[in-house]
């Protein structure tokens, strides 16, 4: 169980990546959804180098808000981009092999029926992406599995992200049926206002868990999954103008985006003032 | 016919601390000014290159104060972070490390205070922190008592400079013991700068006449009626005291010696 696993997953596909403007839309959604959002890089259009470049640009806009970056299939790219998770799809690497490449990342398995879900459990996946739950334009030929898939996928105790025809109007019932969260392509990326669409999803999803911190001696609640960089952003502080101490250890500027806060952490933010 | 003589320029030796050379022997603090604009004008008038700053928590209420770097150009001044307000070696080391992380330089003005009323240093804590920081590559400028043995121990600990006080911080009592300051300067190899206690220009001049390498002050400027004019006066006094020291004063005697010829008087 990954307590900080985001509830809303903005999944790309070849069409979304090909249309361009992905980073801008991801940035708007990350600002709106923070730690409740995971941005997925999923495309076969790009070679390794271009894919990593896209992943790095997405991480740059996601991390300050505490949003996750998830890379599909390419564990090497996920690790190089400091993503939080890798999803291994049908025909992709086994979970243990993904872990050999990217040992610190969460590993999700894409599953389409109860048998695949059981196999993913056995392999030791951290969470499952199950679908298509409803009919979806992304897989026009695929027969929707219906909410029953969620029950089957979740029976082993893994967190399940539902995919396929997810909208703000059905996401609430999907979570009620046992899913941890939902993944959407069109409902987010094709929206005239992706940030507004993300907010509409969040309104029906369980509220992101918050954690309590001690920041400069004052208690402060932030969304679970917030990074130091996200905290500075929330406080309106320029990382170049402050020095950050996290649980008595100084955190260098280039490590701020990679440092995730946990319950009870003490953060000191200092700068220079007049003195003799 | 009179010979024309150009006014000679005053030639000082380079002022070097921790491998860096500075022009101005006057170091000034940035605290307690009534406003930032006055502070910056006073700094400029003082001619100081090294200015001290303190490390403090940022205000999370962003409508309140801003950091000093919004007012001070770090490319114009050499920022010397202090550990003011620290009462233990552990705290001072923590503040020094945070200051270094700001990324300007590895210099730190080390203060470990032992008494709230007099702000006199805790010598044991000071030595402990100085050793730790010197080991970590800091250039430590240690604020200390005007005590020779402590000064020697600080030098042994690896300090880049030792900074004995003229009198307590913010007191404006001036140089209380020229003898101890002269003794420290005579015995140390690293630069000796007097820190704290200067009240007015004559204090700065008298201090520099003892032969010390530099002088650091804050309150004398910040609490002057006109800090900018006082900064100007301190600049002149520091230079005058230094020049007088280098010139070498005449011997003291307890009898008068006429300055004009005793011969050639009218009968």
């Amino acid at each position: 169980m990954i307590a900080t696993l985001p509830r809303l997953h903005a999944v790309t596909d070849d069409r979304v990546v090909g249309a361009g403007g992905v980073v801008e839309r991801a940035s708007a959604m990350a600002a709106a959804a923070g730690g409740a959002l995971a941005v997925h890089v999923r495309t076969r259009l790009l070679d390794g180098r271009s894919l990593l470049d896209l992943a790095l640009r997405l991480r740059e806009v996601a991390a300050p808000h505490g949003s996750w970056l998830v890379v599909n299939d390419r564990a090497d790219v996920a690790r190089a981009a400091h993503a939080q998770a890798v999803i291994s799809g049908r025909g992709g690497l086994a979970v243990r092999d993904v872990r050999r490449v990217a040992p610190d990342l969460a590993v999700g398995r894409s599953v389409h029926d109860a048998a695949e879900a059981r196999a993913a459990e056995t392999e030791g996946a951290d969470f499952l992406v199950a679908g298509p739950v409803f009919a979806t334009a992304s897989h026009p030929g695929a027969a929707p599995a219906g909410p029953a898939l969620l029950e089957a996928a979740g029976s082993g105790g893994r967190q399940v992200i539902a995919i396929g025809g997810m909208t703000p109007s059905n996401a609430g019932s999907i979570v009620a049926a046992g899913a941890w969260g939902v993944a959407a392509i069109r409902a987010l990326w094709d929206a005239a206002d992706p940030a507004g669409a993300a907010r509409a999803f969040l309104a029906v999803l369980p509220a992101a868990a918050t954690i309590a911190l001690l920041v400069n001696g004052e208690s402060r609640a932030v969304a679970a999954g917030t990074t130091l960089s996200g905290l500075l952003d929330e406080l309106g502080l320029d990382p170049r103008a402050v020095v950050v101490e996290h649980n008595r250890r100084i955190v260098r500027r280039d490590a701020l985006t990679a440092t995730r806060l946990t319950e009870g952490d003490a953060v000191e933010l200092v700068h220079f003032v007049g003195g003799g | 016919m009179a010979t024309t003589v150009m006014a000679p320029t005053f030639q000082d030796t380079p002022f070097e601390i921790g491998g860096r050379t500075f022009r101005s022997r006057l170091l000034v603090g940035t605290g307690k000014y009534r406003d930032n604009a006055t502070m910056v004008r006073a700094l400029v008038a003082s001619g100081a290159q090294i200015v001290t700053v303190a490390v403090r928590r940022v205000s999370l209420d962003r409508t309140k104060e801003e950091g000093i770097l919004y007012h001070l150009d770090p490319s114009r001044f050499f920022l010397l972070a202090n550990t003011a307000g620290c009462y233990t070696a552990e705290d001072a080391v923590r503040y020094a490390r945070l200051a270094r992380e700001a990324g300007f330089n590895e210099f730190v003005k080390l203060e470990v205070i032992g008494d709230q009323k007099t702000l006199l240093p805790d010598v044991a804590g000071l030595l402990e922190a100085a050793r730790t920081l010197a080991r970590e590559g800091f250039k430590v400028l240690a604020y200390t008592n005007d005590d020779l043995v402590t000064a020697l121990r600080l030098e042994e600990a690896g300090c880049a400079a030792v900074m004995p006080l003229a009198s307590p911080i913010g007191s404006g009592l001036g140089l209380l013991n020229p003898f101890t300051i002269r003794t420290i300067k005579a015995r140390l190899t690293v630069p000796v700068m007097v820190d704290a206690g200067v009240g007015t220009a004559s204090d700065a001049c008298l201090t520099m006449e003892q032969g010390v390498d530099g002088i650091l002050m804050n309150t004398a400027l910040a609490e002057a009626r006109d800090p900018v004019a006082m900064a100007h006066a301190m600049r002149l006094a520091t230079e005058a005291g230094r020049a007088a020291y280098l010139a070498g004063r005449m011997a003291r005697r307890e009898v008068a010696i006429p300055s004009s010829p005793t011969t050639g008087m009218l009968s």
Side-chain angles (χ1 to χ4, degrees):
Chain A
M1 162 90 180
I2 304 167
T4 53
L5 181 68
R7 303 275 186 172
L8 179 61
H9 294 246
V11 176
T12 52
D13 60 9
D14 290 346
R15 187 185 56 82
V16 170
V17 171
V22 172
V23 176
E24 292 73 13
R25 283 177 281 168
S27 175
M29 287 189 278
L37 178 76
V39 177
H40 290 232
V41 188
R42 187 178 71 158
T43 176
R44 281 176 293 270
L45 289 180
L46 303 175
D47 55 26
R49 189 182 291 237
S50 314
L51 188 66
L52 175 58
D53 180 56
L54 175 63
L56 285 170
R57 285 190 296 139
L58 287 170
R59 185 180 72 106
E60 204 171 296
V61 297
H65 303 287
S67 304
W68 280 32
L69 173 70
V70 179
V71 176
N72 278 243
D73 292 319
R74 293 290 300 262
D76 53 344
V77 172
R79 182 173 174 177
H82 297 284
Q84 280 79 14
V86 188
I87 307 258
S88 184
R90 194 175 267 168
L93 295 181
V95 172
R96 68 170 181 281
D97 294 321
V98 172
R99 291 202 201 281
R100 286 168 64 189
V101 177
D104 300 328
L105 274 59
V107 183
R109 203 59 162 117
S110 168
V111 300
H112 307 84
D113 54 42
E116 285 185 10
R118 276 193 299 278
E121 300 268 349
T122 312
E123 276 188 48
D126 294 308
F127 65 99
L128 310 178
V129 179
V133 177
F134 298 123
T136 165
S138 305
H139 294 91
L149 173 61
L150 301 175
E151 202 182 321
S155 61
R158 295 292 195 280
Q159 288 155 293
V160 178
I161 306 299
I163 191 165
M166 293 298 124
T167 65
S169 26
N170 62 25
S173 62
I174 290 299
V175 171
W180 174 263
V182 299
I185 305 175
R186 281 159 209 276
L188 289 169
W189 299 101
D190 290 3
D193 171 16
R199 275 191 291 266
F201 269 109
L202 291 189
V204 297
L205 292 170
T210 60
I211 51 172
L213 308 174
L214 204 57
V215 182
N216 282 3
E218 295 171 23
S219 53
R220 185 178 187 90
V222 297
T226 300
T227 60
L228 278 172
S229 163
L231 175 67
L232 292 184
D233 195 57
E234 207 173 285
L235 292 167
L237 293 171
D238 182 344
R240 290 166 303 176
V242 295
V243 176
V244 181
E245 197 192 66
H246 177 225
N247 295 334
R248 287 270 181 160
R249 287 179 53 192
I250 292 173
V251 181
R252 306 198 72 107
R253 253 162 233 156
D254 53 17
L256 293 174
T257 51
T259 309
R260 200 163 290 283
L261 294 160
T262 56
E263 179 74 24
D265 281 1
V267 179
E268 293 287 351
L269 306 167
V270 301
H271 64 167
F272 285 153
V273 301
Chain B
M1 202 176 81
T3 321
T4 307
V5 180
M6 301 292 288
T9 45
F10 166 56
Q11 285 294 319
D12 197 354
T13 46
F15 172 41
E16 197 184 306
I17 317 166
R20 295 204 197 214
T21 306
F22 300 95
R23 232 177 22 256
S24 174
R25 291 176 182 274
L26 175 56
L27 290 68
V28 296
T30 55
K32 296 194 281 194
Y33 284 89
R34 64 179 74 107
D35 57 70
N36 287 307
T38 306
M39 184 263 294
V40 172
R41 283 167 55 232
L43 261 46
V44 172
S46 76
Q49 288 171 287
I50 303 176
V51 302
T52 58
V53 293
V55 176
R56 290 293 181 272
R57 283 171 167 169
V58 300
S59 163
L60 298 183
D61 172 6
R62 301 304 297 146
T63 58
K64 284 198 197 141
E65 40 90 84
E66 297 165 323
I68 197 156
L69 294 182
Y70 288 94
H71 309 283
L72 271 190
D73 179 359
S75 66
R76 176 164 188 175
F77 296 102
F78 184 89
L79 300 179
L80 173 60
N82 68 25
T83 62
C86 293
Y87 280 80
T88 63
E90 189 192 352
D91 272 356
V93 168
R94 184 184 184 195
Y95 276 65
R97 288 173 181 157
L98 287 167
R100 177 157 73 173
E101 199 56 32
F104 292 101
N105 56 62
E106 66 287 8
F107 282 56
V108 63
K109 192 191 119 179
L110 179 63
E111 292 184 27
V112 182
I113 302 301
D115 175 59
Q116 268 183 333
K117 206 170 172 71
T118 59
L119 298 180
L120 290 173
D122 177 325
V123 169
L126 184 65
L127 280 165
E128 185 191 336
R131 284 190 197 103
T132 304
L133 291 172
R135 252 200 319 274
E136 292 181 13
F138 281 88
K139 300 286 194 298
V140 180
L141 286 63
Y143 162 72
T144 180
N145 288 311
D146 59 345
D147 173 69
L148 173 67
V149 178
T150 307
L152 289 169
R153 296 291 170 270
L154 286 165
E155 183 174 65
E156 286 161 18
C159 289
V162 174
M163 307 185 81
L165 49 76
S167 49
I169 295 173
S171 70
L173 291 173
L175 183 59
L176 294 182
N177 198 337
F179 165 75
T180 53
I181 296 296
R182 268 201 312 279
T183 309
I184 291 171
K185 174 56 197 167
R187 294 285 299 277
L188 265 61
T189 308
V190 297
V192 174
M193 278 103 75
V194 168
D195 179 8
V198 166
T200 187
S202 54
D203 298 335
C205 192
L206 182 64
T207 300
M208 290 306 293
E209 284 174 17
Q210 310 312 312
V212 295
D213 299 277
I215 186 165
L216 195 161
M217 60 185 73
N218 189 154
T219 314
L221 306 189
E223 290 188 3
R225 196 183 66 242
D226 183 344
V228 181
M230 185 57 88
H232 175 70
M234 289 298 190
R235 175 188 193 152
L236 298 176
T238 303
E239 285 178 9
R242 177 68 186 168
Y245 166 73
L246 291 177
R249 63 156 294 144
M250 61 165 280
R252 290 173 201 272
R253 9 176 131 77
E254 304 217 336
V255 291
I257 306 270
S259 301
S260 305
T262 49
T263 57
M265 302 295 291
L266 300 179
S267 57

